[in-house]
């Protein structure tokens, strides 16, 4: 019977082409949705690497001329340092730091290079005062954080996240190792890893995983100043503290303007911003799949009506109602399998072309399984009614038609 | 072999009620070759469909081999159609998407049987109707007479006790019709298959053992 069904499907490939196309399209839609959903879901459940509760974010605006020369830069940095120390004297403030960039900010800076043995490395760079890691409760898994004494080192200490450590040194212990910047290693002191953190997913719960490298910022030097602060407050500090904080900041630097917000509220806004397009894409996908399903029911229905005579004949030759039912569904499953095979061919091409490279193979595989199962279920559901209709064909009546 | 007792068949549609058969009593004995004649619309096909268990009577009973089938389930009726009855139609009703031999195998699909056994029986049936050279053709590539011979092969492949043929020569010219008739006669005489055939052709009917005449849904003899 399986062979017979296969022959029917194969010999009717021209009239089945439309169904195969429908299956192919819906598979691709479901696959895309599943891949994005799984990707985001898995990201969402990945550890953030920091604690946003009770941390506040301050951004200040400074006139451009303040950064013109070393003297001004140094003055600005000294002022930031004074602000940080002053803030720490306030009752609810546990610790204050400056850094580029705190969580839930869209700015980033990154660096890419080729190592001497030709590996391509890419990482985001976070420039921050030593306290920044503690203020954000960034979990360290090996080595140490920055200390004031590090300013005197003749090499540059950095803290990296796990994924960068793996990219750089594989399974080997990264602590104390010098980072190989390849041919770009010309100027400046050598860079050594002093600590490894679990992660720092700056863009929040829906962030795409990336490499991270923390470099220390010394406020007593004439570097271009950091204009963003991260401040840890005692647990349960009320939102009313914002006003007190703003007033103090204004008093400390009257000609700068400040923007104060809790990371909690920044996080809310960020998630909303990130989830909105996903939600819209989901709704669009559901509608697409519904349309495809309706189309499928229509095509199958038409298909079954065209085959009334054949069904009548089979009934006359001894097919029972369940025989007809299963034949129609079985053929549909075979047609679905053809569509899915074509879909699979398309889907394996995608990573080969280098598209969607941010999707790891586990996500990709899971999305594939999910969409195959979904399509079989969808096809089965769409075929249920038409095959039921076919099984109810009365042989005498069906054979009456010419 | 087949017995009809006080059979009535009424077709009811929204507005009209057609009495296709009324008070039909008849018996077809094993090994008989019977033809059914009558003007168009008199109920010949209806009668044949009832004998072939493709339809159920509105009143009365249809019995096969001495047993009434009125209370049979779909499964039991399907089994009887499959094992004991063969059907041949005026318009052949071959499945265009299947080759000749695949068409002939259809009744055997609904039996427990290996694929190779099925193929063997189908080829033997095609041999009997003289179509061994056309097994991998598709119906559209055959003449009308050849198509009807495929349909006969399909009807006899399961070695039924009864062959029911509804105007099997109706769409064929007389020489092709004679070929088909020759096959039916051969089946009747050599295999002892009971045959009931509807025809408009007095000449062909004259070659059969008995003629049943219908007029307006009633038997006339
Ligand atoms: N499915 C049906 N619904 C309603 N009426 C029907 C149906 N099938 C047959 N009839 C009616 O029953 C009567 C007998 O039809 P039937 O097909 O048995 O005639 P027939 O003797 O085979 O005619 P022909 O020689 O033209 O094939 C006709 O009046 C026909 O219109
Ligand atoms: Mg008729």
């Amino acid at each position: 019977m399986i062979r017979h069904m296969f022959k029917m499907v194969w010999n009717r490939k021209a009239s089945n082409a439309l169904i195969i196309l429908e299956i192919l399209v819906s598979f691709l839609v479901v696959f895309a949705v599943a891949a994005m959903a799984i990707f985001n879901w898995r990201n969402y459940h990945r550890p953030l690497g920091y604690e946003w509760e009770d941390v506040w974010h301050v951004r200040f605006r400074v006139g451009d001329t303040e950064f013109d020369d070393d003297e001004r830069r140094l003055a600005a940095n000294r002022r930031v340092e004074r602000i940080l120390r002053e803030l720490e004297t306030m009752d609810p403030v546990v610790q204050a730091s400056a850094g580029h960039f705190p969580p839930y900010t869209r700015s980033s800076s990154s660096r890419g290079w080729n190592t001497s043995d030709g590996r391509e490395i890419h990482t985001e760079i976070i420039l921050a005062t030593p306290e920044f890691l503690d203020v954000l409760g960034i979990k360290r898994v090996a080595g140490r954080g920055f200390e004031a004494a590090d300013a005197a080192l003749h090499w540059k200490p950095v803290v990296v996240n796990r994924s960068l450590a793996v990219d750089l040194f594989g399974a080997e212990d990264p602590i104390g190792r010098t980072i190989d910047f390849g041919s770009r290693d010309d100027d400046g002191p050598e860079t050594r890893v002093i600590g490894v953190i679990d992660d720092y997913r700056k863009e929040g719960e829906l962030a795409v995983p990336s490499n991270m490298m923390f470099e220390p910022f010394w406020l007593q030097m004439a570097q271009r100043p950091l204009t963003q602060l991260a401040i840890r407050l005692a647990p349960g500090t009320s939102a009313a503290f914002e006003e007190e904080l703003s007033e103090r900041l204004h008093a400390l630097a009257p000609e700068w303007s400040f923007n104060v917000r809790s990371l909690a509220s920044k996080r809310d806004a960020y998630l909303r911003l990130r989830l909105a397009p996903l939600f819209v894409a989901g709704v669009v996908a559901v509608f697409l799949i519904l349309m495809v399903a309706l189309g499928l029911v229509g095509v199958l229905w038409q298909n079954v009506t065209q085959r009334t005579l054949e069904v009548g004949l089979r009934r006359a030759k001894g097919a029972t109602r369940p025989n007809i039912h299963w034949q129609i569904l079985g053929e549909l499953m075979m047609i679905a399998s053809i569509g899915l095979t074509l879909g699979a061919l398309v889907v394996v091409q995608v990573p080969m072309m280098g598209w969607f490279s941010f999707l790891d193979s586990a996500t990709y595989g899971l999305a594939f399984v999910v969409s195959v199962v979904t399509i079989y279920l969808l096809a089965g559901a769409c075929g249920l009614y038409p095959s039921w209709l076919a099984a109810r064909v009365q042989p005498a009546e069906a054979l009456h038609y010419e | 072999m087949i017995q009809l007792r006080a059979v009535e068949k009424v077709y009811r549609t929204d507005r009209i009620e057609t009495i296709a058969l009324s008070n039909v009593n008849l018996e077809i004995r094993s090994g008989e070759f019977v033809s059914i004649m009558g003007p168009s619309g008199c109920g010949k096909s209806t009668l044949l469909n009832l004998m072939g268990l493709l339809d159920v009577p509105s009143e009365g009973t249809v019995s096969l081999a001495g047993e009434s089938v009125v209370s049979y389930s779909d499964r039991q009726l399907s089994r009887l159609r499959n094992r004991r009855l063969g059907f041949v139609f005026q318009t052949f009703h071959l499945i265009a998407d299947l080759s000749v031999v695949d068409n002939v195998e259809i009744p055997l699909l609904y039996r427990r049987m290996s694929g190779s056994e099925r193929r063997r029986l189908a080829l033997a049936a095609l041999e009997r109707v003289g179509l061994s050279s056309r097994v991998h053709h598709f119906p559209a590539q055959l003449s009308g007479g050849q198509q009807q011979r495929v349909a006969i092969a399909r009807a006899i492949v399961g070695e039924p006790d009864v062959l029911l043929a509804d105007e099997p020569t109706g769409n064929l010219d007389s020489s092709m019709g004679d070929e088909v008739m020759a096959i039916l006669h051969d089946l009747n005489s050599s295999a002892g298959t009971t045959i009931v055939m509807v025809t408009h052709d007095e000449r062909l009917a004259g070659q059969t053992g008995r003629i049943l005449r219908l007029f307006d849904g009633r038997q006339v003899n």
Side-chain angles (χ1 to χ4, degrees), chain B residues 123-174:
Chain B
L123 292 174
L126 282 165
E127 167 114 57
R128 273 173 90 175
V129 299
L131 277 178
S132 294
S133 59
R134 296 283 191 280
V135 293
H136 295 302
H137 284 59
F138 280 82
Q141 300 167 325
L142 301 179
S143 73
Q146 288 170 330
Q147 290 189 44
Q148 192 59 302
R149 276 146 69 192
V150 174
I152 293 172
R154 183 180 59 189
I156 63 172
V157 71
E159 303 195 324
D161 305 321
V162 183
L163 187 68
L164 302 163
D166 194 351
E167 300 188 48
T169 61
N171 274 355
L172 304 176
D173 67 28
S174 66

Side-chain angles (χ1 to χ4, degrees), chain B residues 66-95:
Chain B
E67 211 176 321
S68 166
V69 299
V70 282
S71 60
Y72 273 26
S73 67
D74 174 64
R75 190 185 191 75
Q76 288 169 306
L77 288 173
S78 300
R79 192 181 159 84
L80 283 180
R81 288 198 288 261
N82 186 244
R83 304 268 165 158
R84 318 208 54 172
L85 302 168
F87 236 106
V88 177
F89 308 91
Q90 180 175 353
T91 49
F92 325 138
H93 291 328
L94 298 177
I95 297 177

Side-chain angles (χ1 to χ4, degrees), chain A residues 73-83 219-221:
Chain A
R73 284 199 279 266
L74 193 60
N77 281 337
R78 291 229 180 276
R79 180 178 247 178
V80 170
E81 179 162 38
R82 201 168 58 247
I83 290 173
L219 291 168
Q220 63 272 31
M221 293 181 189

